[in-house]
Amino acid sequence: MNRTVNVVRMQFINKQTYVWIPLIILASAFAITFAIYGILIAAGVDGPKIGGGAQAPLWYFFAVGIQALTMSFPFSQAMSVTRREFLVGTLLAAMIASLALAAVFVVGGLIELATDGWGLNGWFFYLDWVWESGPLGAAFVYFVAAMLFFVTGLWFATVYRRFRALGLTVALVGVAVVIVFAMFLIGQLDAWAAVFAWVAELGAVGLSLWGVLLLAVTSLLAFVTLRRATP
C-alpha cells in the first residue's frame, strides 16, 4: 500500500501535467468560446449559444494517460515498484485529477445556471443532456469521460512499450476496424433508429454506466499488456 501511495505521489510530482496544463487548456477554450459568442452577439444573434470547447481538457487526458506511463514507468521500476502497484497508483492519481476536473465543470455549470449563461445566454459548462440528472449526475458523467480518455491513452502507451510501433499501429487499426464493422452491422440491420432511441433512453448517466464497464475492460487490458512491457 505504501508503494502504491508513493506511485500517486510520484505522478503528482510534475504538477504541470495534472494541474496547470489542464487548467490552461480549459481557460483558453473558455476564453476563445466566449470571444466567439461575443462576435455572434455583435452580429445580432440573440438565441442560446452552446459551444463544445469544454471537451478540450478531456482530450488532453488522453495525452496525460500516455505521459503517465512513458515518463514515470521506467523510474518506478528502478524503485522496485511492481507493475500492479504502478498501475493501481497511476489509476488512483487519474481518479483524483478526474474528480478535480469534474468539480470544476460542475461549479462552472452552476454559475452558468445562476447567471443565465454569464448574462450572455452562452453555455460552456452546462449542457442539458449532461445535467438531466442534476449536478451529481453531471459530475459522474465528466468523471467517467475523463477516466476513459486517460485509461485509453495509458493502454495505448502500454501497447507501444510491449510491442513498439508495429504493435501500436495494429492495435489502432484493430480498434478502427471494430468501430467500422459495428457501424456496418447496424446499417445492415437498419437499426440506427433503434440505436439512437436506446441512447436517448439511457441518457448521459446511463451511457456513463456503460462507460464504467468499458473503463474496467480497458484497465484490465492495460494491466495484461503492462505485465510484459519493458521499462
Side-chain angles (χ1 to χ4, degrees):
M1 179 60 70
N2 288 336
R3 288 187 295 188
T4 300
V5 173
N6 286 337
V7 171
V8 177
R9 292 173 178 169
M10 178 183 65
Q11 293 290 357
F12 283 115
I13 287 176
N14 187 0
K15 292 182 174 59
Q16 286 188 2
T17 299
Y18 285 91
V19 180
W20 297 118
I21 293 180
L23 289 177
I24 291 172
I25 291 174
L26 181 62
S28 300
F30 181 84
I32 293 171
T33 297
F34 273 83
I36 295 172
Y37 290 168
I39 294 172
L40 292 175
I41 291 172
V45 178
D46 296 325
K49 292 162 283 294
I50 302 172
Q55 64 181 296
L58 296 176
W59 284 102
Y60 171 70
F61 264 58
F62 178 82
V64 175
I66 295 173
Q67 294 178 58
L69 185 85
T70 58
M71 291 184 174
S72 57
F73 178 59
F75 181 70
S76 71
Q77 297 306 285
M79 296 171 56
S80 299
V81 173
T82 67
R83 283 164 165 75
R84 181 183 62 82
E85 290 166 340
F86 172 80
L87 182 63
V88 172
T90 300
L91 291 178
L92 287 174
M95 290 176 65
I96 294 171
S98 298
L99 283 171
L101 184 64
V104 170
F105 273 70
V106 169
V107 170
L110 291 174
I111 293 174
E112 288 182 347
L113 282 174
T115 60
D116 191 25
W118 310 95
L120 302 174
N121 201 8
W123 307 91
F124 182 81
F125 296 102
Y126 180 87
L127 298 174
D128 286 336
W129 71 278
V130 175
W131 284 70
E132 60 187 5
S133 297
L136 290 179
F140 177 69
V141 172
Y142 289 128
F143 169 78
V144 173
M147 284 296 297
L148 273 174
F149 276 102
F150 180 93
V151 174
T152 302
L154 181 68
W155 176 52
F156 283 138
T158 61
V159 171
Y160 179 80
R161 281 283 180 182
R162 176 67 179 88
F163 301 104
R164 299 304 174 185
L166 179 60
L168 178 60
T169 302
V170 171
L172 290 171
V173 171
V175 171
V177 167
V178 170
I179 294 173
V180 171
F181 178 75
M183 295 173 64
F184 170 77
L185 188 61
I186 293 171
Q188 289 296 109
L189 295 175
D190 196 21
W192 280 112
V195 170
F196 287 134
W198 176 72
V199 171
E201 183 179 353
L202 280 178
V205 172
L207 285 174
S208 296
L209 289 173
W210 281 99
V212 172
L213 176 61
L214 180 59
L215 184 60
V217 172
T218 309
S219 299
L220 179 60
L221 289 173
F223 176 68
V224 171
T225 311
L226 186 63
R227 290 181 64 184
R228 296 184 179 277
T230 55

